[in-house]
Amino acid sequence: MTIDVAVIGGGISGLATAWELTRQGRRVVVLERQVRAGGNAVSERIGGFLMEHGPSTVTAAFPDAARLARSAGLDERRCDLGPEVRYRYLVGAGRLHRISTHPLGFLASGYLSPLARLRLMAEMLVPRGSGEAEETVAGFWSRRFGREFAERVIDPLVGGMFAAKAGELSMNAVFPALVEIERQHGSIIRGLAARRRAGGGRMPARQLYSWRDGIGSLPLALAEGLGPAVRTGVAVRRIGRAPGGFRIDVGAAGAIAARAVVVATQPHVAAGLLEVADPAAAEAAASIGAPPLAVVFLGYRRRCVAHPLDGLGYLSPSSEGRDLTGVLFCSTMFPGRAPDGQVALSAYVGGARSPDLARLSPADLIGLARREFGD
């Protein structure tokens, strides 16, 4: 039998794709080489703590994610940020700077220089971009809010969200809503103010949410809903063309005929799979960088941590030369992340900024995180 679509890769992207196709009446199979679906979106209970192996939050700025979770029956398990999240922290000159999540937080804080704060207020006078050329995230924010804001705020933000460099990401791809706001209003500040007046939402830091049992709840719910369409422990060797579609070689399990194929794997895996069916696509996939990122999850007795932990966590600009890209105060963000009287912290190491650090041994990674926490 020839199925309509074979989805290779059972991470959140592959599962979400399969879910939508199934709801459209397509016959779909998901092929995942690991023994469980979910990819990096894994939530693990460890002695009363909840560790996120990959992403820790979903943002309400992307309504499709909320719609997907609702269709998977997760609304009753959703949890929003805790009331103790009142500040954002950024590293500057070797220390943590506390900045209110209020829209005027950066103006009231001493984190940015007086000149940079004046430049922030002048954003409404900056002309609208031409929109003709592709603009990087760093280029967009430098143009609209000044170089210091881009380097000391947006650089660590992009490092924390995407483990990437702001000068290497497309603004249209990463923050399309802000590009559209500039197009419509000519100013980010004017556009966001208009949205707030119209009841259009909270500050971005308040739009984050998860579920009671963590981010892994979403892929688990999707996999359960897809049932036998999800096949785990199946390693795809190659994709070949065949009359009316494709032939997928799954080794000892034989072959699968599909009219269409969705490849939802890491780029280097996609390159190997596509080598026979589409050499040009394989070459394009091979050129996509995917630097490794390590997560160090540590639990402490609350009395052993002097910091109030009254925010999401902290981020470090590249200019600070820190080994940790950022840290989340997990037990402050959502309930059930640590036992009573204890706190949980997640440190992120590697990414595009320092990929080699992510390859350190577990003991070295833990030591690295503990040294910076102590500092």
Side-chain angles (χ1 to χ4, degrees):
M1 180 182 72
T2 300
I3 61 170
D4 293 324
V5 184
V7 178
I8 302 174
I12 187 61
S13 298
L15 292 170
T17 301
W19 183 271
E20 296 295 338
L21 289 170
T22 300
R23 287 166 64 87
Q24 295 172 18
R26 310 292 184 185
R27 288 178 300 173
V28 180
V29 63
V30 179
L31 305 174
E32 168 57 48
R33 64 178 175 175
Q34 302 296 333
V35 296
R36 60 176 301 284
N40 290 325
V42 177
S43 306
E44 181 184 3
R45 291 281 180 190
I46 308 172
F49 291 90
L50 179 67
M51 176 183 177
E52 299 285 14
H53 288 243
S56 296
T57 60
V58 180
T59 173
F62 297 106
D64 284 347
R67 178 180 55 80
L68 180 65
R70 186 177 305 113
S71 68
L74 290 176
D75 272 4
E76 291 184 358
R77 288 182 263 173
R78 173 169 162 165
C79 50
D80 295 315
L81 287 178
E84 295 179 4
V85 178
R86 297 189 296 272
Y87 301 99
R88 57 171 70 88
Y89 286 89
L90 288 161
V91 179
R95 69 182 183 88
L96 288 180
H97 290 256
R98 188 173 73 175
I99 302 164
S100 170
T101 56
H102 187 275
L104 300 179
F106 282 104
L107 295 178
S109 166
Y111 177 70
L112 296 174
S113 69
L115 185 60
R117 281 177 273 171
L118 285 173
R119 178 65 178 80
L120 276 181
M121 292 187 287
E123 189 269 343
M124 290 186 288
L125 304 178
V126 176
R128 182 188 283 108
S130 66
E132 296 176 358
E134 185 82 4
E135 194 168 17
T136 66
V137 172
F140 178 92
W141 288 97
S142 294
R143 176 173 59 80
R144 293 233 55 92
F145 289 93
R147 181 175 176 180
E148 184 176 332
F149 185 82
E151 291 180 350
R152 299 192 65 189
V153 177
I154 301 305
D155 167 75
L157 178 67
V158 168
M161 291 179 67
F162 306 106
K165 296 180 180 179
E168 298 176 353
L169 294 186
S170 159
M171 187 67 190
N172 285 321
V174 176
F175 297 116
L178 291 173
V179 174
E180 182 61 19
I181 285 175
E182 183 193 31
R183 189 190 68 79
Q184 289 183 2
H185 299 274
S187 160
I188 302 300
I189 292 177
R190 268 200 305 270
L192 291 178
R195 284 192 173 192
R196 287 180 67 84
R197 287 194 300 270
R202 302 166 292 172
M203 290 299 291
R206 302 301 317 178
Q207 295 180 348
L208 303 176
Y209 64 92
S210 182
W211 295 279
R212 186 168 56 244
D213 295 313
I215 291 297
S217 301
L218 181 56
L220 287 177
L222 294 176
E224 183 178 349
L226 288 166
V230 179
R231 303 183 191 177
T232 56
V234 176
V236 176
R237 293 185 174 182
R238 65 183 60 84
I239 303 169
R241 294 189 178 275
F246 300 88
R247 183 182 184 276
I248 302 163
D249 180 357
V250 289
I256 296 172
R259 294 185 178 87
V261 176
V262 173
V263 181
T265 68
Q266 294 182 11
H268 72 278
V269 176
L273 296 176
L274 293 168
E275 193 171 5
V276 173
D278 193 334
E283 184 178 355
S287 70
I288 299 172
L293 183 70
V295 183
V296 181
F297 182 86
L298 297 176
Y300 292 90
R301 293 180 178 87
R302 184 64 184 91
R303 66 175 183 272
C304 296
V305 181
H307 194 278
L309 303 179
D310 51 356
L312 289 173
Y314 71 82
L315 296 171
S316 298
S318 301
S319 58
E320 288 292 314
R322 291 277 172 166
D323 290 332
L324 303 187
T325 302
V327 172
L328 291 179
F329 304 157
C330 310
S331 49
T332 302
M333 293 168 61
F334 301 113
R337 268 45 180 180
D340 291 342
Q342 301 189 61
V343 295
L345 306 174
S346 277
Y348 295 84
V349 186
R353 188 184 295 180
S354 50
D356 290 342
L357 288 181
R359 300 185 179 96
L360 293 175
S361 70
D364 287 340
L365 286 167
I366 291 170
L368 185 152
R370 292 182 67 185
R371 285 193 296 274
E372 180 160 320
F373 287 175
D375 184 34

